[in-house]
Structure formats: C-alpha cells, structure tokens
Amino acid sequence: MLDSTNGVYIVAQTPFDERGNVDLDSIDTLVDFYRQHGANGFTVLGVSGEAGKLNAEEARQVAQRYIKTADGLPVVIGVSNPSLAQLTQFSHEAMDLGAAGVMIAPPTGLQTDEDVLGYFAEVFQRIEGTPTVLQDFPFASKVAMSVPVMLQLIERHREIQLVKEEDLPCLNKITRLREGGGRRVAILTGNNAMYLPLELARGADGPMAGFSYPEMLSQVYQLHQAGKFEEADDLFDVYLPLLRYEAMGFWGVCARKEVMRRRGAIRHATMRTPGPRLSARDLVEIDRLVARLERRLAR
C-alpha cells in the first residue's frame, strides 16, 4: 500500500528520439539506470515527464513500458487532466496495466476550498478504491490547497495514501501535515529535491524527485535514516550546484536529460516541442558543473 511508502521514488523522464518520437527502448535503459542507483519506485508521466506533450496512446505505451520494465518495483502514473472523463479512463487503464497507484493534482480553475473538496469527491466517485497520490504543486496547477483542506481530503477519501508535497514553503507545510492528526499517509517531496535533508528532518518519508545523479537521492536518504545527519548534509552539498542548475523548470529538465545522455541512461536528450534546446554556452556550463562534481566525488 502506498501509505507505507518510504525511500526514493524517481520522477522518471519520458525519452524521445532525435525527431521527437517516444523512445520506448530508452525506457528500458532508464529503469536499469535508476534501479542501479537506488530507486525504490518510479513516478511516471508527471510534469517534468512531459506528460502534457503526449497523446493518449503514447501515454498508455509509456506507462505500460515503465511498469513492465520496473519488474516489481512500484510505479505511480500521473493521470492529472482537466477532463474528468479522460482522467477516469486513464486511471482505470493504469491500474489494469499494473500500476501501484495514480497521481492527481487539482486542475487549474478551482478557486475555493469548496471547489477543491467537491472536485475530489467527484474524482473518487469515478475511481473508487484506486490508491492515489495527492500532488500539492500550486506552481504548476495554479491551485492552492491549505493544510486543513488537505487533511479533510485525507480523512474523507481513503484512496489518498500518499501526498507529494511541493508547495512553498514546503517545510512548514510538512510539519503541519504531520501534526494535523488523523489518518497517517506517506509524504514524499518534490521541488527537484532542492530541500531534501530539511524535508526529511521535518517528517517526509523520502523524495519523489528527478535528478541526473539519482544515487545522491538514495544515499542522502539512507544516511538520514541511519541518523548520520551531518554526513547527509555534506553529501547533499557536493551535488547542490548541479541540482540547482537542473531546478530551472523545463529548461532544467532539458539539462538533466543531457547529463543523463552522457551517463548512458538515454540515447537522446530531446525535449518534445514546445520545449527548450540547449545552446553551446549551456553545454559548456554543464561540462564544467559535471567536471567539478566528479572531482569532488573523487576526493
């Protein structure tokens, strides 16, 4: 069950070939790469997975390939969609394919607490019993969910078993969710893992994030679990310049894909149109950041 989730859930990229077609073969190498570097599970077709650029059949193929290649590791499928009909259909398809659950953020346009509560009441009438990750990401959804409303949703809908918390300030929100009482759900954090050690100290159960060096996510989590908090902070600091570079929205995802291409995880660093392209100067910056990181790791 997702409510007992802990560890590192990698927000997986959707690989494309040089023409922008979905590269299903690179999903196989991506899963191997993530698994070798400590992934405990995967989140597929999230915002940084470019879900909004896929048609329905491509989304189904990507979900199916990740679930098959994960070979038993849990896979959460992002199904957020302004169309409730499409969200419902894809949720059922994802679960039929073997997903561990689905991830849903409120759609743009909800303005009040009553709007949010009413929307999710309708959602869970349609996908009753489906293990669900409630994604709190107002930067993308444009919907602010207060802690009291989120606690009400958790109590009303047992389908909600995990919260992906990436509102800002995330630290205080994690604390308030943990202190809110009621049914305990897992909390994993996003925001490109920029605040990971602090979030773990506030009660998060791990990251749900992407990074071109996923071993950092798993190692920081393991050190924190072992009570080696200073060592966790020191290791996190080594990776921080590149992590910060990859935290610049879709442009940062483009940089992440380039680093992962260099590491052999995917064949191409293509972002599907509309999407950024790296300049020659960008590539020089990535060269320098990766070289500095590798030198520090060698020491």
Side-chain angles (χ1 to χ4, degrees), residues 58-287:
E58 288 173 329
R60 189 194 65 79
Q61 290 177 352
V62 169
Q64 182 177 38
R65 192 65 165 251
Y66 266 107
I67 292 166
K68 178 182 178 182
T69 311
D71 193 27
L73 286 183
V75 179
V76 170
I77 304 298
V79 299
S80 299
N81 196 303
S83 164
L84 261 178
Q86 293 183 51
L87 182 154
T88 301
Q89 179 178 337
F90 193 32
S91 295
H92 292 314
E93 289 177 351
M95 298 307 294
D96 288 343
L97 290 169
V102 300
M103 182 169 71
I104 302 174
T108 299
L110 304 185
Q111 297 182 347
T112 67
D113 291 349
E114 289 78 9
D115 288 344
V116 173
L117 294 169
Y119 173 77
F120 280 102
E122 178 68 21
V123 166
F124 291 120
Q125 282 184 4
R126 294 169 178 248
I127 62 167
E128 184 178 2
T130 301
T132 298
V133 177
L134 176 64
Q135 185 179 19
D136 183 25
F137 190 22
F139 178 80
S141 69
K142 313 304 180 187
V143 177
M145 292 190 291
S146 68
V147 169
V149 163
M150 293 175 69
L151 292 173
Q152 285 185 66
L153 288 172
I154 290 167
E155 289 304 311
R156 291 183 183 186
H157 305 292
R158 299 198 71 82
E159 289 87 354
I160 297 175
Q161 298 182 8
L162 191 159
V163 171
K164 184 181 184 188
E165 184 49 63
E166 44 191 340
D167 193 4
L168 295 174
C170 51
L171 302 178
N172 291 334
K173 205 160 189 181
I174 292 169
T175 295
R176 293 180 64 204
L177 286 169
R178 280 287 175 247
E179 293 177 349
R183 182 170 62 90
R184 188 190 191 280
V185 298
I187 298 176
L188 300 183
T189 63
N191 287 315
N192 299 97
M194 284 283 290
Y195 316 102
L196 179 57
L198 295 169
E199 291 167 326
L200 293 173
R202 291 290 188 117
D205 296 295
M208 183 180 278
F211 183 42
S212 58
Y213 283 77
E215 58 266 42
M216 182 277 282
L217 304 178
S218 60
Q219 291 166 8
V220 167
Y221 172 77
Q222 290 163 9
L223 286 168
H224 199 276
Q225 289 297 105
K228 300 178 180 179
F229 306 125
E230 289 297 322
E231 290 181 40
D233 288 346
D234 290 343
L235 180 64
F236 180 81
D237 291 348
V238 170
Y239 288 91
L240 187 53
L242 181 60
L243 183 70
R244 182 177 56 199
Y245 197 79
E246 292 184 19
M248 291 188 279
F250 275 117
W251 187 91
V253 174
C254 190
R256 179 185 306 160
K257 279 189 162 184
E258 170 61 20
V259 178
M260 294 177 74
R261 182 195 66 80
R262 297 180 185 194
R263 301 191 74 195
I266 52 178
R267 291 186 292 189
H268 304 281
T270 308
M271 296 281 285
R272 180 171 272 190
T273 303
R277 297 290 183 271
L278 298 177
S279 68
R281 186 164 186 175
D282 298 333
L283 294 173
V284 170
E285 288 173 346
I286 292 172
D287 289 341

